[in-house]
Amino acid sequence: MNFLANPLLASTPGGDALASMMDPFGFGRAAVNYWRDSVERNILYWDVMRERGNQYLEHMEQTKPNVLGFETEVLVDGRTLPNPTNYELLRVLPPKNTQIDPQKRPFVVVDPRAGHGPGIGGFKPDSELGVALKAGHPCYFIGFLPFPEPGQTVEDVVEAEVAFLRHVIALHPETTEKPMVVGNCQAGWQIMMAAALEPDVFGPILIAGAPLSYWAGEHGKAPMRYTGGMTGGSWVTAMTTDIGNGLFDGAWLVQNFERLNPANTYWKKQYHLYDNVDTETKRYLEFERWWGGHVVLGGEEIQYIVDNLFVGNRLSTAQLVTRDGRRIDLRNVRSPVVVFCSRGDDITPPPQALGWIRDLYEGEEDIVANEQTIIYCQHDTTGHLGIFVSGSVSRKEHSEFTANMDYIDVMPPGLYETTISHADEHPDAELIERDYLLEFTPRNFEELDRDVMHKPEDDRRFATVARISEINLGLYRLYIQPWLHATMTPEAARWIRRMHPIRLGYKLMSDRNPLTVPLPVMADYVRRHRKPVDQDNMFKALESMASDQIVASLDAWRDLRDSSTERLFMDVYGQPLLQAAVGLYGDAHVHRRRPGAEPEHRRFIENRQNELRHKIAQGGHHEAVMRSVIYVLGGAPATDERNFKRLRASRAELEPGTPLSEFKRLVREQFFILKLDREQALGSLPTLLKGQSNDDIDGYLKHLEHVFAASGELSAHAAERFDQVKALFDKARPNVVAPPAPEAASTPAAKAPVPALTAEKSATVSAKSAGESAPKASEAAPTPPEKKPASRSSGQRRSTPRKR
């Protein structure tokens, strides 16, 4: 075997032939090559682990560690606010050759604080911040420091985020558009709380992978929702905080995430580095710098989160009240909300990301009545971190959301699902400006329920967990907490944090361990003489097969663990005796508050409808044009982004100086009016156009044609609706004969011009729109005594039904 491995002999004349004679099947050579490669990969792998440990220690010793890939400057330090917090508002400085347009809407990313350090939203060039910077938006980042301020609460953090947004708005007086705010994971529910309390400082809101409804979930998935029940409630959180002397170590949260996928944590992630150690080192170390940057949370903060959100599910049911008496009701959010989630996310699956909609509203008409626009997008495969870290996701979904934020901001109230398709998939691809097209589809609650999969019988189980949690927490605070408060010291708490298994793993493999001294020397020698094995080596193939078997075994163990946990949870908390013991057994008891079904909310809906009924016939040509657009397109101002861009451009021509906020109000109000009473809304179009000239009406119809042509040909049904709108507009044309002059009263030539549309033609148009509330022939303008041929305007040309 040594002879076969000797490179000098193999390179001499006849060396290959001699090697082949001694090892005709190549097993020995394959074994030696694999053995050498595996030894080299082992040395390089452990040297990467040493670098990871050094990187961790260096990162944790920084005063303000983060993993942002962009240069920043601090604008507001949260520690200087009236209620100090460890949060900061940063201005993101654009890279070279990147131009920022100060007239564009500001873009703010709020980072999640769930155990890891800040910066994940701007981790890569192809990130949420990177996409917005490329689009020319002024960008800001709300991050945090490793340790909380004394006495810091969740409400303090929410108030700090509102103060930061007000500061951003003050920095851009030249634009009337409010900032678009992106909240990743835990930051999602924080900004939703802030938007419910102070809706006037928010533009469109994008929440990515943010859990808002913690009781929701599909059986067989989302194992984290059972954690509170299996530990007996939030007393464990209180004990962990007391062991930390009032501080909660975020490493415990990271450990919970790692336990979800043991195959990836204990094998797949590490083996991928070992298998590709020549190319994966940089990517691995970049990710580990964030994954291992553990931060600390205040005890009061984490207890509030666990009691009110994880276990109590009080955010999505409007049960949270601030210390100054304000109710945190997500129905108060006035900005459009985009919910981005993934079916491949086991931390925040779609039911938990979307369930709050089902909790707060009884139907899509409630969303409309509250003048809210909710849009959701579901990725098929990406995991939790991939939602806001993956470069492919940022280049596609986040790029489209950023490019269309103005369009999203004027979407009428309702529930929509958005899909993103490649431009090449459309026959009119030349009309699409970018590589992808963002399209919106109205959804109802029956369709939403297929994703939320709400089960009322589970509500009683989780309500039982909440009661048990309150009981156990009370017992802990009565009997155990005083002893821990008396014995724990700051020094002991710091020592316990340093000894956490996850933290300790980083420190043991660093230069502070004398056993790692030979590693850099050995790794340098290997890199200079590296001879990787061929991929077709049989022993390398066996290694890959063994790795796959280990992954499959760990996955099987995880599935068995999760299914057993779910079955135990369902059996224990589904026991009628336990439910009766905590006062939750019986159909008459309300286990889950449903704000949308409460009497005061139904009265609000009724009052809102009565208020809008009085506005149906009020307004002018602005209302008439927008009402027509929404009607023809079937309930939305555009089927996709192209219609909106044409609509906004032509709006600037017809209505110069009208701010976007007024345009947004107009869209939403006219949509609501059509939803409330379509027949009366259409019948009042001639009233809204009263007093307009023929030229004005022709201009409005031309405007509508441009809008509808932006996304290709209208469908046959939409074309019929457009014909009906034309007939209603023509009905509003002036039809009054001017009084003759005294000296020429009997002269036919002195008659006033005849209107462009006759009763006969109006009846023809109405007949083409059968089934709609078009004006009948008897309602058309009367035929004058004498009629002159009139020039055909755009309002008189009848559109032939076209197929999409």
Side-chain angles (χ1 to χ4, degrees):
M1 299 292 285
N2 290 333
F3 165 77
L4 296 171
N6 191 328
L8 295 176
L9 183 60
S11 63
T12 59
D16 290 339
L18 184 60
S20 299
M21 290 176 59
M22 299 188 64
D23 187 20
F25 298 103
F27 291 114
R29 280 172 292 173
V32 169
N33 291 339
Y34 173 75
W35 173 81
R36 174 171 179 165
D37 176 71
S38 63
V39 171
E40 291 176 348
R41 282 188 289 152
N42 267 284
I43 294 172
L44 295 177
Y45 171 83
W46 287 111
D47 188 59
V48 173
M49 294 296 102
R50 179 190 63 82
E51 291 184 43
R52 184 188 74 154
N54 292 340
Q55 174 182 270
Y56 168 81
L57 294 173
E58 179 184 353
H59 186 73
M60 296 307 295
E61 288 171 358
Q62 295 176 4
T63 305
K64 298 180 179 182
N66 67 66
V67 295
L68 280 173
F70 303 93
E71 294 185 8
T72 60
E73 61 177 347
V74 179
L75 297 181
V76 181
D77 189 335
R79 293 174 295 184
T80 64
L81 296 176
N83 295 315
T85 68
N86 64 333
Y87 278 70
E88 293 180 323
L89 173 65
L90 309 175
R91 188 204 308 270
V92 181
L93 304 178
K96 293 181 179 178
N97 302 322
T98 300
Q99 297 296 324
I100 299 300
D101 184 356
Q103 299 291 331
K104 285 192 172 184
R105 184 195 301 269
F107 191 94
V108 182
V109 173
V110 186
D111 227 25
R113 181 162 160 254
H116 306 96
I120 197 62
F123 180 52
K124 300 178 180 180
D126 287 326
S127 62
E128 294 163 338
L129 283 175
V131 165
L133 286 170
K134 288 178 183 177
H137 292 274
C139 290
Y140 301 87
F141 184 80
I142 298 179
F144 48 87
L145 303 178
F147 288 88
E149 290 296 292
Q152 176 177 312
T153 67
V154 171
E155 288 186 32
D156 294 336
V157 173
V158 170
E159 291 175 359
E161 291 171 351
V162 171
F164 294 157
L165 289 176
R166 293 194 186 280
H167 187 80
V168 170
I169 293 172
L171 292 175
H172 297 275
E174 65 277 5
T175 177
T176 59
E177 299 170 1
K178 300 298 173 53
M180 178 175 180
V181 185
V182 179
N184 297 319
C185 188
Q186 172 265 0
W189 57 256
Q190 272 189 1
I191 64 171
M192 288 294 283
M193 290 175 65
L197 293 172
E198 301 289 344
D200 61 307
V201 300
F202 284 83
I205 298 172
L206 170 61
I207 51 177
L212 293 175
S213 183
Y214 296 86
W215 291 4
E218 179 183 0
H219 285 187
K221 297 182 179 179
M224 285 194 73
R225 68 178 184 145
Y226 306 119
T227 303
M230 301 314 297
T231 57
S234 65
W235 70 273
V236 177
T237 304
M239 184 179 69
T240 306
T241 298
D242 292 335
I243 291 175
N245 195 44
L247 297 175
F248 184 91
D249 187 1
W252 293 108
L253 297 177
V254 177
Q255 190 176 65
N256 287 338
F257 298 145
E258 290 189 336
R259 286 174 177 169
L260 280 176
N261 193 348
N264 184 70
T265 299
Y266 302 123
W267 182 260
K268 191 158 57 175
K269 179 173 68 172
Q270 308 303 330
Y271 175 73
H272 182 72
L273 172 64
Y274 172 74
D275 188 33
N276 305 275
V277 71
D278 299 305
T279 58
E280 285 294 303
T281 297
K282 181 179 179 181
R283 185 203 62 81
Y284 180 85
L285 290 176
E286 284 179 350
F287 180 78
E288 285 293 311
R289 190 160 66 98
W290 173 74
W291 187 256
H294 310 120
V295 297
V296 176
L297 289 83
E300 190 173 348
E301 284 182 284
I302 190 65
Q303 196 67 43
Y304 178 97
I305 294 169
V306 174
D307 284 338
N308 293 303
L309 279 71
F310 296 165
V311 176
N313 196 48
R314 296 188 177 101
L315 176 60
S316 69
T317 52
Q319 298 181 71
L320 292 180
V321 179
T322 64
R323 56 190 168 221
D324 57 355
R326 294 179 293 169
R327 181 172 296 280
I328 303 176
D329 189 340
L330 299 184
R331 292 172 298 178
N332 294 333
V333 178
R334 299 271 69 88
S335 304
V337 179
V338 180
V339 181
F340 185 30
C341 55
S342 173
R343 297 180 181 90
D345 185 354
D346 56 355
I347 294 177
T348 307
Q352 293 190 7
L354 300 172
W356 64 278
I357 306 171
R358 198 67 182 83
D359 291 346
L360 283 173
Y361 302 100
E362 291 299 300
E364 59 272 15
E365 66 279 356
D366 278 3
I367 299 177
V368 175
N370 277 276
E371 299 185 33
Q372 282 196 308
T373 304
I374 302 174
I375 302 165
Y376 64 95
C377 177
Q378 297 187 76
H379 197 279
D380 290 329
T381 57
T382 191
H384 182 70
L385 293 179
I387 293 176
F388 41 88
V389 174
S390 171
S392 61
V393 171
S394 292
R395 284 190 296 269
K396 183 180 177 183
E397 278 82 0
H398 285 292
S399 293
E400 289 302 308
F401 293 144
T402 302
N404 289 282
M405 64 173 71
D406 287 342
Y407 171 54
I408 292 171
D409 200 14
V410 298
M411 286 285 290
L415 179 67
Y416 304 87
E417 182 175 12
T418 182
T419 55
I420 300 174
S421 56
H422 203 281
D424 295 340
E425 300 174 6
H426 297 266
D428 52 353
E430 67 279 359
L431 297 176
I432 303 174
E433 298 178 0
R434 296 180 307 281
D435 293 335
Y436 297 95
L437 178 67
L438 192 67
E439 299 177 278
F440 298 86
T441 304
R443 295 298 186 198
N444 56 42
F445 267 40
E446 185 176 326
E447 294 167 316
L448 177 68
D449 283 341
R450 289 198 288 266
D451 294 313
V452 174
M453 292 171 284
H454 175 248
K455 294 178 175 58
E457 61 272 15
D458 285 352
D459 289 349
R460 195 197 308 268
R461 292 185 172 96
F462 285 101
T464 302
V465 172
R467 289 285 180 87
I468 294 293
S469 177
E470 293 173 357
I471 294 170
N472 288 343
L473 180 61
L475 293 174
Y476 166 79
R477 285 174 171 166
L478 179 63
Y479 292 109
I480 301 176
Q481 191 176 63
W483 293 94
L484 284 176
H485 283 179
T487 56
M488 289 305 301
T489 63
E491 292 75 15
R494 282 194 294 270
W495 184 85
I496 291 174
R497 278 198 299 274
R498 288 196 294 267
M499 291 298 105
H500 192 284
I502 292 182
R503 295 179 184 271
L504 197 60
Y506 287 93
K507 294 177 182 177
L508 289 178
M509 281 305 300
S510 69
D511 286 343
R512 295 185 186 181
N513 184 348
L515 297 178
T516 65
V517 171
L519 274 177
V521 179
M522 297 169 63
D524 182 64
Y525 177 84
V526 168
R527 290 188 184 98
R528 286 187 283 109
H529 302 87
R530 178 81 170 103
K531 286 194 175 182
V533 71
D534 295 335
Q535 291 299 315
D536 58 357
N537 185 289
M538 61 176 298
F539 294 99
K540 186 69 165 57
L542 289 173
E543 176 192 293
S544 299
M545 293 171 60
S547 174
D548 293 341
Q549 287 297 320
I550 292 173
V551 171
S553 300
L554 289 172
D555 284 344
W557 176 78
R558 176 203 62 196
D559 294 341
L560 177 62
R561 178 200 65 187
D562 292 346
S563 61
S564 301
T565 300
E566 181 179 71
R567 175 48 52 199
L568 183 61
F569 178 92
M570 295 296 175
D571 290 344
V572 170
Y573 291 101
Q575 289 291 328
L577 181 60
L578 179 61
Q579 293 173 356
V582 296
L584 291 177
Y585 190 74
D587 295 335
H589 188 85
V590 178
H591 309 297
R592 184 177 193 157
R593 182 173 183 255
R594 303 200 64 85
E598 293 178 349
E600 57 269 25
H601 181 69
R602 306 319 304 174
R603 285 195 297 273
F604 163 77
I605 298 294
E606 184 178 350
N607 292 337
R608 176 63 178 154
Q609 291 175 345
N610 292 334
E611 175 186 339
L612 283 195
R613 280 196 178 94
H614 294 297
K615 293 185 177 181
I616 291 179
Q618 295 179 2
H621 68 276
H622 302 292
E623 287 75 9
V625 170
M626 183 53 62
R627 192 176 299 179
S628 301
V629 170
I630 296 173
Y631 172 65
V632 171
L633 293 175
T639 53
D640 57 56
E641 63 196 71
R642 294 169 293 177
N643 273 328
F644 165 70
K645 290 175 181 176
R646 181 58 211 165
L647 178 63
R648 196 175 182 189
S650 53
R651 174 183 66 90
E653 298 169 5
L654 292 178
E655 307 164 23
T658 303
L660 182 63
S661 57
E662 178 62 22
F663 180 55
K664 177 179 177 179
R665 183 203 63 78
L666 182 65
V667 172
R668 289 170 174 261
E669 189 170 87
Q670 295 310 309
F671 174 83
F672 201 1
I673 286 174
L674 271 170
K675 191 86 172 178
L676 183 65
D677 192 336
R678 190 180 71 175
E679 299 302 322
Q680 187 177 351
L682 292 174
S684 63
L685 285 178
T687 304
L688 297 177
L689 294 169
K690 187 176 181 180
Q692 301 294 315
S693 68
N694 282 333
D695 289 341
D696 290 336
I697 293 176
D698 289 343
Y700 304 147
L701 290 172
K702 186 72 172 177
H703 170 76
L704 293 174
E705 289 176 351
H706 284 184
V707 171
F708 300 146
S711 59
E713 294 186 352
L714 290 173
S715 65
H717 183 62
E720 289 179 1
R721 289 190 171 200
F722 192 24
D723 285 342
Q724 183 182 353
V725 167
K726 289 178 181 179
L728 291 167
F729 272 54
D730 285 335
K731 186 179 177 181
R733 293 179 183 274
N735 193 35
V736 179
V737 178
E743 65 275 12
S746 61
T747 304
K751 301 289 185 180
V754 179
L757 189 69
T758 64
E760 180 181 359
K761 184 170 183 180
S762 178
T764 302
V765 173
S766 299
K768 296 291 185 180
S769 306
E772 303 288 347
S773 60
K776 299 178 181 178
S778 59
E779 299 171 335
T783 305
E786 277 189 66
K787 185 170 59 175
K788 290 183 180 181
S791 60
R792 295 172 63 88
S793 68
S794 63
Q796 295 167 295
R797 290 193 300 269
R798 185 184 174 280
S799 297
T800 303
R802 294 167 289 181
K803 295 183 179 179
R804 178 176 289 269

